[in-house]
Amino acid sequence: MDDSREEARSLLSNGYFQRWFFRRSDVKSGGLCISQSVKIPREPKTGEFDKIIRRLSENPNARVVIIFANEDDIRRLLQAAKKANQTGHFIWVGSDSWGSKISPILNQEEMAEGAVTILPKRQSIKGFDRYFISRTLENNRRNIWFAEFWENNFLCKLSRHAVKKGSGIKKCTNHERIGKDSSYEQEGKVQFVIDAVYAMAHALHNMHKDLCPGKVGLCPKMETINGTLLLKYIRHVNFTGIAGTPVVFNVNGDAPGRYEIYQYQMTNNATEYKIIGHWTDQLHLDTKEMQWPGATQEVPSSICSQPCRPGQRKKTVKGIPCCWHCENCDGYQYQADTYTCKMCRFDLRPNANNTGCDPIPIVKLEWSSGWAVIPVLIAVLGIMATLFVVVTFVRYNDTPIVKASGRELSYVLLTGIFLCYATTFLMISSPDVVICSLRRIFLGLGMSISYAALLTKTNRIYRIFEQGKMSVSAPRFISPASQLVLTFTLISVQLLGVCIWFGVDPSQAIIDYEDQRTSNPKMARGVLKCDISDLSLICLLGYSMLLMVTCTVYAIKTRGVPETFNEAKPIGFTMYTTCIVWLAFIPIFFGTSQSAEKMYIQTTTLTISVSLSASVSLGMLYMPKVYVVLFHPEQNVPKRKRSLKAVVTAATMSNKFNPKGGLRPNGEAKSELCESLETQDCFEGGEPREGL
């Protein structure tokens, strides 16, 4: 406070007041923080103090106002605060211009309750009292202002002409005495005025001794006083003042601070300036004696900004480093320090109060999940049905219906159907390197085996009847061995593609943190999955789709073949239905790519689609045969034998003369050329050959 006295003096002349508050960092360093600084004009206009109070009210958290102003400005400022209904809100801290004076708070004592003021620590100088009360108009003519003081002190006029009738002011008699006919209290700064005079005297004396040693009066060196040199001597004086306290100055020219600290208190409608402490080199404050507005001893808080909650950063107000706005660290940000929010690492998310980062939970498709239960149920039923068909075919392996269906390709097709169902378990199992490798292999392999076998069958039927239109000779590569070679050749293309994929990009399990990185970090999840992208998946299934489309084309081309000639019609219906299934799969699979449930929806859709494709093939191609084998064994008997050439020729001629022959229901013996061919062995060149 000593260092700021010179500044305070200049501020007092201009009427400054400032709004201050403590902050934690400043408490440690012993400083104060200024929220805003306002200058009271030298000649305030009407409403000027109301405007100042409105500015002070902009931040209701900063309540302490330190005032450097004269008595009249203090009084008018308190009036404006009272008018704005701010009684008890502001805590005033006044300089020594307020001190313990009554005039600034007269008739507005409640506004000043709790105000803390200071006065330089002083002592009454009894010698000055004796001198001053003995002054009269006769013995103090040298003071030109004394006559004016006399009139104001005794409420009289020295001139008869100045007295107006009815004004209640009398003429001075010159017999009035100070302290007897009027109240008298020594001015508080008398001690300092006396010490100031002595300081000047000591400085001049010391200067005279140095510049004019041994001489009386001024020497030539002191005829023109050097102000800078005199100031140096003033700052170096050291003597005991009139009150017995040392008079010295520091390097800044300030005397040691000695202040008494007052607080304006109201108790039972009684008001007083009560001494609550003092300053002599350090602060001595009796907090037990302090009382704040509302007769409470709880110290009011005065801050610019409330402390930010955990997970919020401080955004400093420009120009006011100790005022801030609190901003949430939102999204995936966390509070790195008081003023900074940072993004969590890609595999982390903010904790509950955004003060740090926690690992993002890892999820995968669980066996107990509703998304897995339905595909698993379908797969289990499908595997059971497939095994049932295989067992039935093995048991009745030498019966006409089993032979007519083409046993070798049937077992290959059933193997593909089994793998389609088994793929469901690989897709739901927890991903690791082994599972991901098996997914790459078997996801497309099961479908490739199924459609390769069906394509070979439809292609064989198509070539036989196309050949029959031109010649009665049998086409090439229609034997069971040839059919197996063609089938496995088609399957090997799928396996070759997978092997190349393994060489280029070895399979691995990854945790995808982007798949379910929602805007709400609480919902974010890391997805444990195989490193198979949507594009890779389509490429993996693309070859199977190509086989399926090609098989469908051949099924369309052989739609005119009488259905008693092997499986052309059931294969056609199978491929039409399968195409519908996969056409429905594509929009569902890619339409959910942005969904938070993407992993579950796509996995479930894919497994169900694969299982449905297998179920269509199993149901349309093999269940009717199993039904006949088990429940109508009388139909599973050989009938008359015809050569392959006769069959082809008859079928071709039948189509020409009876184009609607192919529209007869499945299972009926409609063709007079070859009744129930599926139950017969066809011969060519005297050697038996299984069905078409």
Side-chain angles (χ1 to χ4, degrees), residues 280-348:
T280 305
D281 297 329
Q282 62 181 354
L283 178 64
H284 301 275
L285 196 64
D286 187 359
T287 56
K288 295 180 180 179
E289 294 293 330
M290 300 183 74
Q291 181 176 294
W292 303 100
T296 178
Q297 290 190 327
E298 181 180 356
V299 180
S301 63
S302 179
I303 55 176
C304 179
S305 303
Q306 294 288 349
C308 294
R309 297 192 302 271
Q312 294 182 328
R313 76 176 186 95
K314 293 181 180 179
K315 184 179 181 181
T316 306
V317 177
K318 186 177 181 180
I320 310 176
C322 45
C323 292
W324 60 82
H325 301 298
C326 294
E327 289 188 348
N328 292 323
C329 295
D330 53 5
Y332 287 83
Q333 295 181 330
Y334 72 98
Q335 183 185 0
D337 55 44
T338 304
Y339 301 96
T340 309
C341 292
K342 290 184 178 180
M343 291 293 293
C344 289
R345 205 173 61 201
F346 72 95
D347 58 340
L348 303 175

Side-chain angles (χ1 to χ4, degrees), residues 347-642:
D347 58 340
L348 303 175
R349 66 178 181 181
N351 56 20
N353 55 10
N354 287 71
T355 56
C357 296
D358 293 334
I360 294 178
I362 308 301
V363 297
K364 58 184 179 63
L365 187 57
E366 302 290 346
W367 293 98
S368 59
S369 170
W371 297 98
V373 171
I374 295 178
V376 168
L377 179 61
I378 295 175
V380 170
L381 295 177
I383 289 175
M384 293 172 62
T386 304
L387 293 177
F388 178 73
V389 172
V390 171
V391 170
T392 302
F393 267 50
V394 170
R395 182 176 179 182
Y396 297 95
N397 190 58
D398 295 325
T399 60
I401 286 184
V402 175
K403 288 182 178 181
S405 65
R407 288 176 295 185
E408 291 81 1
L409 286 182
S410 291
Y411 291 131
V412 172
L413 179 55
L414 289 169
T415 301
I417 292 173
F418 176 84
L419 290 179
C420 288
Y421 288 123
T423 301
T424 297
F425 299 95
L426 292 176
M427 297 300 294
I428 297 176
S429 298
S430 180
D432 55 31
V433 175
V434 175
I435 293 297
C436 292
S437 300
L438 293 177
R439 284 186 186 180
R440 286 192 182 186
I441 296 172
F442 290 104
L443 181 59
L445 183 61
M447 295 178 62
S448 296
I449 293 174
S450 300
Y451 297 132
L454 288 176
L455 176 59
T456 303
K457 278 193 174 189
T458 54
N459 175 263
R460 178 173 179 259
I461 297 172
Y462 173 76
R463 288 190 296 114
I464 288 174
F465 284 96
E466 284 297 312
Q467 182 72 15
K469 295 178 182 179
M470 299 177 292
S471 171
V472 295
S473 61
R476 301 172 61 188
F477 308 120
I478 62 173
S479 66
S482 301
Q483 298 297 292
L484 288 176
V485 170
L486 289 175
T487 301
F488 285 115
T489 301
L490 294 173
I491 295 172
S492 64
V493 175
Q494 173 76 22
L495 293 175
L496 178 61
V498 172
C499 291
I500 295 175
W501 189 8
F502 274 122
V504 175
D505 183 18
S507 62
Q508 59 180 340
I510 62 172
I511 300 176
D512 187 354
Y513 291 97
E514 296 297 328
D515 201 22
Q516 292 194 28
R517 191 176 180 86
T518 59
S519 57
N520 182 3
K522 294 181 180 179
M523 305 301 295
R525 298 292 186 272
V527 180
L528 177 61
K529 65 179 185 179
C530 296
D531 61 336
I532 302 177
S533 64
D534 293 348
L535 179 60
S536 300
L537 181 63
I538 293 302
C539 293
L540 180 63
L541 298 176
Y543 181 67
S544 301
M545 300 293 181
L546 177 62
L547 294 177
M548 179 184 70
V549 172
T550 307
C551 186
T552 304
V553 171
Y554 276 110
I556 294 173
K557 288 185 175 184
T558 58
R559 67 186 181 278
V561 176
E563 58 187 72
T564 52
F565 289 93
N566 241 312
E567 300 170 300
K569 288 292 191 296
I571 291 177
F573 290 133
T574 298
M575 299 318 301
Y576 306 150
T577 307
T578 303
C579 287
I580 293 174
V581 170
W582 286 101
L583 286 175
F585 161 79
I586 292 175
I588 296 175
F589 187 86
F590 289 100
T592 58
S593 59
Q594 303 300 322
S595 172
E597 304 290 336
K598 171 185 174 181
M599 176 187 67
Y600 307 108
I601 297 175
Q602 291 189 343
T603 302
T604 302
T605 304
L606 178 60
T607 53
I608 290 180
S609 297
V610 173
S611 295
L612 286 179
S613 300
S615 299
V616 169
S617 300
L618 186 66
M620 291 191 174
L621 298 178
Y622 292 102
M623 286 305 173
K625 295 180 176 60
V626 172
Y627 176 77
V628 172
V629 169
L630 296 180
F631 299 103
H632 294 282
E634 70 278 2
Q635 298 181 14
N636 190 17
V637 294
K639 296 186 179 180
R640 63 189 180 88
K641 301 176 181 179
R642 303 181 68 182

